[in-house]
Amino acid sequence: MSESSVVTVRSPGHLDELLKSYKIVVADFFTTWCAPCKHIAPIFDTLAEALSLAETVIFVKIDAEELRDTAEKYDVRILPTFITFLNGEVYQTVKGADPMELHRVVDSLVTEVEADPLYGGRPGSWFGAEIPRGYRDITGQIEFKNCELSNARDDAGPVQVLFEPGKPKVLEDGKGSIKDYVQSGADDQLLLYIPFEGSVKLHTLQITSIPAAGQDEVSRPEVIHLYINRPQIMDFDEADDSEPTQIITLKPEDWNAESTANIHLRFVKFQKTTSLVLYVQKGKDGADAVRLDRIKIIGEAGAKREMGKLQKVEGEE
């Protein structure tokens, strides 16, 4: 196979083999003379680079003139036409060069495999707020074992509890457990280092914080500084002296009924993110500590650093 993430289908039998070998096949029916096909091709290539996964997800191109019978079989009458297949069956079709619709259809199909550990998804995920349209939960792209946390209470939960897919226990039984959240120790500041398995695009952070009722000394975060692409966790002096990628100030009305804030990032600044440092610079005035229960990362996944090449199948050049 070539270095491209997109495979060119050479025969009907080749397509049949791909449909048998991959859970998801995203097909682009095109012709060499079709101007709209050429216009949308870079977008298709970008999706392929980001979402292709060995033995699971593959993106293919099919010349509708060379493989006329295949095009007729799938009722391709408009160029380009994009057809997504799930387990060998047609899932959805996009007719015409519509980038937004193509993104939407492919994204909806990807959610079908988000529970697959190979893809980094996690079954049974709970969300404290709605995921912005066109994006998905990429929390599974985190290198969990390499996450770090500074100034946390020793008797609270480990840093990894922040990324647990399930609902915080306190929202289920009203009590919860100190091991199910993270709380600062010496003061109302926390430093969290989040490395990713590859380069990702960050769109939204969902932060859930549920301080116990009547405990004014423990608060939700109020001011958060974000830094990207650091090789390791920063110390507090370094964080205070460095220019943040983005500063976030949260108001009481930003927290919903699920105690979650949907924080929209300046997407253009988080296009190629390999790590994120989240610095809770302060909590509510007068608070002695801050508490974090869950963090969800919403955006677009990239190719993982350790992801193998797509499997070569019979009939592929």
Side-chain angles (χ1 to χ4, degrees):
M1 190 174 79
S2 69
E3 293 182 359
S4 172
S5 298
V6 179
V7 172
T8 299
V9 174
R10 302 298 184 184
S11 68
H14 185 195
L15 178 60
D16 290 341
E17 287 295 329
L18 293 171
L19 292 174
K20 292 176 183 177
S21 301
Y22 289 84
K23 184 179 182 70
I24 291 175
V25 176
V26 183
D28 171 11
F29 286 83
F30 75 103
T31 63
T32 56
W33 48 261
C34 168
C37 298
K38 296 177 181 178
H39 179 73
I40 201 170
I43 296 173
F44 187 79
D45 291 344
T46 298
L47 287 170
E49 182 179 355
L51 299 176
S52 295
L53 182 66
E55 302 180 15
T56 305
V57 183
I58 191 169
F59 287 69
V60 305
K61 294 182 76 71
I62 301 172
D63 190 316
E65 283 193 330
E66 288 187 2
L67 299 181
R68 189 179 299 273
D69 289 345
T70 300
E72 291 179 356
K73 176 181 178 180
Y74 293 107
D75 196 28
V76 174
R77 301 182 182 183
I78 296 174
L79 295 173
T81 289
F82 301 93
I83 300 178
T84 56
F85 297 85
L86 179 62
N87 296 323
E89 301 293 331
V90 173
Y91 181 82
Q92 278 185 298
T93 300
V94 177
K95 297 181 179 181
D98 186 339
M100 292 296 293
E101 183 66 5
L102 178 60
H103 270 281
R104 185 193 68 78
V105 167
V106 173
D107 188 69
S108 70
L109 182 53
V110 166
T111 62
E112 296 288 336
V113 294
E114 281 193 327
D116 189 334
L118 284 173
Y119 200 74
R122 301 175 301 164
S125 289
W126 167 87
F127 297 95
E130 185 176 349
I131 295 179
R133 183 177 179 181
Y135 299 93
R136 64 189 187 91
D137 177 22
I138 59 170
T139 309
Q141 296 271 319
I142 294 173
E143 288 185 342
F144 299 108
K145 66 179 181 180
N146 293 323
C147 291
E148 297 182 57
L149 187 64
S150 294
N151 192 38
R153 278 180 55 170
D154 293 335
D155 58 346
V159 61
Q160 287 80 12
V161 76
L162 292 171
F163 310 110
E164 284 290 323
K167 190 174 186 178
K169 293 182 175 63
V170 68
L171 292 180
E172 294 181 342
D173 59 19
K175 298 178 181 179
S177 164
I178 194 170
K179 296 298 184 182
D180 194 45
Y181 62 86
V182 163
Q183 185 171 308
S184 64
D187 53 31
D188 62 345
Q189 294 186 327
L190 277 172
L191 263 173
L192 172 62
Y193 177 66
I194 307 172
F196 297 99
E197 294 178 339
S199 178
V200 300
K201 298 179 181 180
L202 304 184
H203 182 274
T204 300
L205 295 181
Q206 290 187 354
I207 297 180
T208 302
S209 176
I210 318 170
Q215 291 187 2
D216 293 337
E217 68 274 13
V218 180
S219 80
R220 292 166 170 162
E222 185 173 285
V223 178
I224 297 174
H225 293 189
L226 299 177
Y227 310 82
I228 64 169
N229 300 341
R230 299 277 174 163
Q232 59 192 17
I233 195 168
M234 308 163 73
D235 61 37
F236 287 95
D237 288 338
E238 182 184 6
D240 285 328
D241 293 339
S242 300
E243 182 71 22
T245 307
Q246 185 171 341
I247 298 176
I248 298 156
T249 300
L250 295 169
K251 301 176 182 179
E253 57 267 28
D254 292 326
W255 301 91
N256 65 16
E258 296 282 353
S259 298
T260 299
N262 233 8
I263 302 170
H264 299 297
L265 306 180
R266 295 171 185 163
F267 193 48
V268 68
K269 292 190 174 184
F270 295 85
Q271 290 291 296
K272 296 181 179 180
T273 304
T274 57
S275 69
L276 177 69
V277 174
L278 188 153
Y279 173 28
V280 179
Q281 201 269 339
K282 69 181 294 289
K284 185 177 65 175
D285 288 343
D288 297 325
V290 291
R291 169 171 164 167
L292 299 177
D293 290 73
R294 294 290 185 271
I295 295 177
K296 302 284 189 182
I297 311 291
I298 310 300
E300 297 179 9
K304 296 183 179 180
R305 286 193 292 269
E306 297 180 359
M307 188 175 75
K309 293 183 179 180
L310 294 174
Q311 184 183 34
K312 186 174 182 178
V313 298
E314 184 178 355
E316 184 180 322
E317 294 187 357

